[in-house]
Amino acid sequence: MKNRTKKYISAFVALMLSVPVFAQVPAPAQKQSKPILLKGATLHIGNGTVVENAAVGFDNGKITYAGPQNGAASLAEYEVVDVTGQHIYPGLIHSNSTLGLTEINSVRATIDVREVGEFNPNVRSVVAFNTDSDIIPTIRANGVLMTQVTPVGGTISGTSSIVQLDAWNWEDAVVKADEGIHLNWPNMLIETGSESPDASLSRMKEARKKTLDELSLLMRDAAVYNSSKHDKENLKLAALTGLFDGSKKLYIHANYGKEIIESINFAKEYGVKNVVIVGGGDALAVADFLKVNNIPVIYSGVHALPTRDEEDVDAPYKTPYLLHKAGLTFALDYDLSIHGIRNLPFIAGTAAAYGLDKEQALASVSLNAAKILGVDKQLGSVEVGKDATVVVSSGDLLDMRTNNVTLAFIQGRQIDLNNKQKYLYEKFDNKYKKQKEADVQAAPTTMKN
């Protein structure tokens, strides 16, 4: 019996070894072990500056040099990587994302984006972040190396965190934990539906007023909790106290102009220090108000349809340029789907095609995003002292026709750019190439007259 069992085990092992194995999620890279110097490329720093024939050196995960190649002569002990003719960019940052919190929409067990209830400021999205998501490698391949993990649902969804996209677990991935609270401002625009318009409108107004009253009560309680001593910790109120001392940001998800103004005034009334508008569909219409109050915007609608019939069909494409012209600080995100996050550089590319300077467009998904998220001292640009989180592309990173990431580093670690989509492309490309070769060989020779 034992011999038969051993035979079965041996046969199973042999079968497994004979099947090609593809790791859909590559193992995280090891810590940088030797200094590296990228040389010969065009450097896009992320702050609007471009350096031709540049070099970027980094050691122990930090950038030690970024500038003209002839200024890197002192870095003789660095391992040189020749990237002549290519482009070096800061790793791109995606704001307002559920990446790692959901995988397959039709499988409930893979969805962890929201908690039950309306007010959940104490919910920490980062603890549910799945570093083994199959989607993450496909996003890194286009140059997106950081994201803000954001909960959804309810009035107060919870807290977001900034993570890097090459880690064994969420603890290793964290760049800045619990950096902001997300508030979904109640809609002013109400769809009445099929029931009596008057009855529906009245019911919706009552529900909105109730939500705002409950929100006001929660904020008052949090302010008192923050300014007084207490024997027992209240998790919800404790999570909100960072809003009053500026250690946390309040991300208000709002699109309609009046909602944006109302929500900001609400935050100011309760002494919230740092406010960010997310969505910002009407940000341009209230640009003066936003500028006076120094409110940045995470704009979500570049690849969306116009919201009003009278708007130009390309109005969303032009909005980033107009926001910049109005003097607002803004970042761009891609909120249609987690799979679409890989298109973040092309969102910026669209903005560049409709008036925004190319380097300003890059900043909208790098340095500006880092400033808004509060990690600009560490990320967002290729500058000495910052994390060596950089991308090398053989073409323009913001152009889908030429975007081709050849190298990527997170905190100095060279990450594996393979992913399931590349594997499948190569698999079937080879299949049909071989089939074509076989067909050519099998074809009869044509006699010449």
Side-chain angles (χ1 to χ4, degrees):
M1 186 68 180
K2 288 183 178 180
N3 290 336
R4 183 180 299 175
T5 302
K6 287 182 179 180
K7 287 181 180 179
Y8 288 150
I9 293 174
S10 298
F12 177 77
V13 171
L15 177 62
M16 290 298 100
L17 291 175
S18 67
V19 176
V21 178
F22 171 69
Q24 295 180 359
V25 181
Q30 295 183 351
K31 185 177 179 180
Q32 184 181 4
S33 59
K34 54 189 174 184
I36 294 174
L37 181 69
L38 307 175
K39 59 181 292 188
T42 299
L43 170 60
H44 304 260
I45 291 178
N47 60 5
T49 304
V50 178
V51 182
E52 301 289 344
N53 194 24
V56 175
F58 44 94
D59 190 17
N60 292 320
K62 296 292 183 179
I63 297 172
T64 56
Y65 180 81
Q69 184 174 307
N70 56 19
S74 62
L75 306 179
E77 74 279 10
Y78 282 45
E79 178 181 308
V80 175
V81 180
D82 190 350
V83 288
T84 300
Q86 300 193 59
H87 299 261
I88 300 175
Y89 298 88
L92 304 188
I93 304 170
H94 187 269
S95 313
N96 183 37
S97 164
T98 58
L99 180 65
L101 301 183
T102 181
E103 194 77 3
I104 304 171
N105 288 335
S106 60
V107 181
R108 179 64 186 88
T110 72
I111 302 174
D112 206 0
V113 297
R114 65 175 297 165
E115 188 56 87
V116 296
E118 285 295 308
F119 300 95
N120 297 296
N122 55 308
V123 169
R124 305 178 66 214
S125 60
V126 72
V127 299
F129 179 64
N130 174 25
T131 55
D132 290 323
S133 168
D134 281 340
I135 303 168
I136 289 176
T138 69
I139 290 166
R140 299 188 315 203
N142 275 3
V144 182
L145 305 183
M146 303 281 160
T147 193
Q148 179 191 35
V149 182
T150 305
V152 300
T155 302
I156 296 182
S157 306
T159 64
S160 58
S161 296
I162 315 303
V163 298
Q164 50 90 359
L165 300 181
D166 186 60
W168 287 106
N169 48 56
W170 71 263
E171 292 96 334
D172 293 343
V174 168
V175 173
K176 188 174 183 180
D178 306 326
E179 43 77 38
I181 301 285
H182 288 258
L183 167 61
N184 299 299
W185 195 252
N187 292 332
M188 279 185 169
L189 295 176
I190 299 171
E191 294 183 8
T192 56
S194 58
E195 63 180 303
S196 168
D198 291 339
S200 177
L201 186 61
S202 175
R203 179 172 55 81
M204 293 292 186
K205 281 183 176 179
E206 289 179 6
R208 185 173 192 273
K209 183 179 183 302
K210 180 182 177 183
T211 298
L212 289 175
D213 288 343
E214 291 175 350
L215 182 59
S216 297
L217 179 60
L218 181 64
M219 292 298 289
R220 285 198 298 270
D221 288 347
V224 172
Y225 184 88
N226 180 56
S227 60
S228 61
K229 293 183 179 180
H230 35 269
D231 297 328
K232 189 175 181 180
E233 183 179 24
N234 183 307
L235 294 179
K236 288 190 176 183
L237 300 182
L240 290 168
T241 56
L243 298 178
F244 306 118
D245 62 18
S247 61
K248 286 185 179 179
K249 296 178 186 289
L250 179 62
Y251 295 93
I252 302 176
H253 295 248
N255 280 293
Y256 183 43
K258 289 184 178 181
E259 293 170 0
I260 293 173
I261 294 174
E262 181 187 42
S263 62
I264 291 172
N265 286 334
F266 174 88
K268 288 171 61 180
E269 179 184 350
Y270 290 98
V272 176
K273 299 292 185 183
N274 295 314
V275 176
V276 178
I277 292 295
V278 181
D282 276 354
L284 193 59
V286 295
D288 291 341
F289 178 82
L290 293 170
K291 188 174 180 180
V292 167
N293 288 279
N294 195 28
I295 306 295
V297 177
I298 297 175
Y299 181 64
S300 303
V302 175
H303 279 188
L305 292 172
T307 55
R308 295 175 176 83
D309 292 341
E310 66 272 14
E311 290 180 339
D312 294 339
V313 69
D314 57 359
Y317 302 163
K318 297 184 289 189
T319 296
Y321 164 69
L322 297 174
L323 291 175
H324 174 77
K325 190 176 179 181
L328 296 180
T329 298
F330 68 93
L332 302 179
D333 78 353
Y334 192 100
D335 68 338
L336 299 181
S337 74
I338 53 173
H339 305 279
I341 295 173
R342 68 174 71 93
N343 293 323
L344 180 66
F346 313 138
I347 293 287
T350 298
Y354 281 81
L356 197 63
D357 177 81
K358 182 63 72 70
E359 300 307 312
Q360 294 165 354
L362 173 63
S364 71
V365 290
S366 57
L367 187 56
N368 281 3
K371 287 178 179 178
I372 292 172
L373 301 179
V375 291
D376 54 302
K377 291 183 179 179
Q378 186 176 353
L379 298 165
S381 60
V382 186
E383 297 180 271
V384 173
K386 291 192 175 184
D387 285 357
T389 299
V390 298
V391 172
V392 180
S393 174
S394 63
D396 185 346
L397 191 68
L398 306 188
D399 189 336
M400 66 168 55
R401 298 167 299 179
T402 60
N403 173 299
N404 180 37
V405 175
T406 57
L407 293 170
F409 299 84
I410 294 180
Q411 298 167 341
R413 299 176 289 111
Q414 184 175 348
I415 65 172
D416 190 336
L417 292 173
N418 287 316
N419 60 64
K420 185 176 182 180
Q421 293 177 347
K422 285 185 177 180
Y423 165 74
L424 292 174
Y425 171 81
E426 292 171 0
K427 173 182 176 180
F428 289 102
D429 185 51
N430 289 333
K431 172 186 176 182
Y432 291 114
K433 279 182 179 178
K434 291 179 179 178
Q435 183 64 51
K436 186 176 181 180
E437 291 172 358
D439 291 343
V440 170
Q441 292 176 0
T445 303
T446 303
M447 298 295 293
K448 291 184 179 180
N449 294 327

